[in-house]
Amino acid sequence: SSYTVDPQEVRKFQVIGRSWWDEKSSGGTGPLHAMNPIRVGFIREQIAFTTFRSDELKSSQLHDLKILDVGSGGGLLSESLARLGANVTGIDPSIENINVAKEHCKIDPLTANINYQALTVEEMASSGAKFDAVCSLEVIEHVKYPQHFVHGCLECVKPGGSLFLSTINRTAKSFLLAIASAEYLLQLVPPGTHEWNKFITPIELRMMIEKSQNPQSHNEEVHVQRMSGMVLRPPCRTSKGAGKLGSLLQWQLSENDLDVNYIVHAVKAG
């Protein structure tokens, strides 16, 4: 089933090809490379807390956990999670993206066992497969029927497991930064990558998550554990040469600023 898949949105990303792994790409993936470390850190920290692994080494906190990456694209998130010891399955409706991800993961023995499949979240949910954690980052603003998409993701979470979603808030600030600046002024991503009316507020996303729980089962209640903003640090000047900027802008988590990018962690009762 491809109920929530928007073919037009899929086409935007399947043309990226091998540029998925180009950190300087203007094809839409460059900012994802810069954002990825804080996304991975948030996921690792939250899973460690909910699975009582916080006292373990960071490199082993995800060891042997089954994690599903929904809308895995070229594999940026999947590979990072695999390097932390997780057993990762990545799904994407685009066979082009899956082929890029399969080819790239073979480079590193730590990522070579990622299980990539050209599937939708509905197809994975209908298979009955359950995971310790399901992640879908910067995806929900590109799907049809986001409420149904969230439900499909939660269907894949086992009792006691975690759901991670990240997206863009629908504010005047997000229009200015994520569309006017990123797409047209700075050209970090292609024009038309985002549609402002598809952005989702934190309140709306919380409601989608809570609505998606099974009303007939108190054992499958879903609770949002944490919401954090993801914000760009101000550029710092280099010590050599007045007026020169440092390297790439870096992202950081903010518990107070969810005006543009933000990430959510929810847990299904078990």
Side-chain angles (χ1 to χ4, degrees):
S1 173
S2 57
Y3 184 66
T4 62
V5 174
D6 186 334
Q8 184 176 347
E9 293 284 347
V10 172
R11 283 193 290 271
K12 289 180 185 178
F13 294 95
Q14 69 185 18
V15 299
I16 294 173
R18 288 183 174 82
S19 293
W20 274 103
W21 288 96
D22 181 0
E23 295 185 23
K24 298 179 180 179
S25 169
S26 61
T29 62
L32 295 180
H33 283 273
M35 188 187 291
N36 201 46
I38 64 161
R39 304 188 310 178
V40 174
F42 180 92
I43 292 169
R44 178 193 51 72
E45 181 180 314
Q46 291 300 116
I47 289 179
F49 178 77
T50 57
T51 58
F52 307 103
R53 296 183 176 199
S54 296
D55 292 335
E56 297 183 16
L57 293 173
K58 291 180 180 180
S59 59
S60 63
Q61 288 173 339
L62 302 186
H63 185 67
D64 281 345
L65 294 179
K66 290 178 60 180
I67 299 182
L68 175 66
D69 182 8
V70 179
S72 52
L76 305 188
L77 178 65
S78 292
E79 289 201 11
S80 295
L81 297 174
R83 290 191 182 97
L84 290 173
N87 294 325
V88 180
T89 297
I91 62 172
D92 197 285
S94 167
I95 187 63
E96 288 85 359
N97 288 343
I98 290 296
N99 287 339
V100 169
K102 283 183 175 180
E103 181 180 344
H104 192 272
C105 77
K106 302 303 180 187
I107 297 173
D108 185 348
L110 293 176
T111 62
N113 290 327
I114 296 174
N115 176 23
Y116 286 115
Q117 301 181 51
L119 294 174
T120 66
V121 70
E122 294 94 342
E123 290 168 333
M124 180 59 78
S126 66
S127 76
K130 302 291 182 184
F131 296 83
D132 297 293
V134 173
C135 308
S136 188
L137 308 188
E138 280 67 57
V139 173
I140 193 172
E141 68 270 23
H142 299 287
V143 306
K144 296 189 295 184
Y145 314 116
Q147 174 72 72
H148 293 280
F149 180 79
V150 171
H151 179 75
C153 289
L154 279 169
E155 282 288 295
C156 298
V157 178
K158 75 176 190 180
S162 292
L163 172 67
F164 294 92
L165 299 170
S166 65
T167 188
I168 304 175
N169 197 350
R170 193 175 62 256
T171 61
K173 185 176 176 181
S174 72
F175 180 84
L176 177 65
L177 295 180
I179 296 180
S181 295
E183 295 187 13
Y184 294 94
L185 181 61
L186 300 176
Q187 298 182 342
L188 297 175
V189 297
T193 295
H194 298 107
E195 296 178 38
W196 184 81
N197 63 348
K198 286 188 172 183
F199 292 170
I200 299 169
T201 70
I203 292 175
E204 290 168 344
L205 189 54
R206 179 187 289 270
M207 290 178 62
M208 289 179 193
I209 292 170
E210 293 175 349
K211 271 187 177 181
S212 293
Q213 62 192 26
N214 185 347
Q216 298 178 341
S217 174
H218 294 296
N219 294 328
E220 292 194 7
E221 291 182 354
V222 183
H223 301 284
V224 173
Q225 299 293 306
R226 183 182 175 191
M227 284 189 170
S228 292
M230 297 185 289
V231 299
L232 279 170
R233 295 175 183 170
C236 57
R237 296 187 182 277
T238 57
S239 58
K240 295 181 180 179
K244 289 184 179 180
L245 294 178
S247 56
L248 290 174
L249 294 174
Q250 293 185 328
W251 294 79
Q252 63 185 12
L253 293 174
S254 170
E255 301 307 310
N256 302 314
D257 186 352
L258 281 71
D259 292 345
V260 187
N261 297 84
Y262 66 98
I263 187 167
V264 179
H265 174 219
V267 174
K268 180 186 284 189

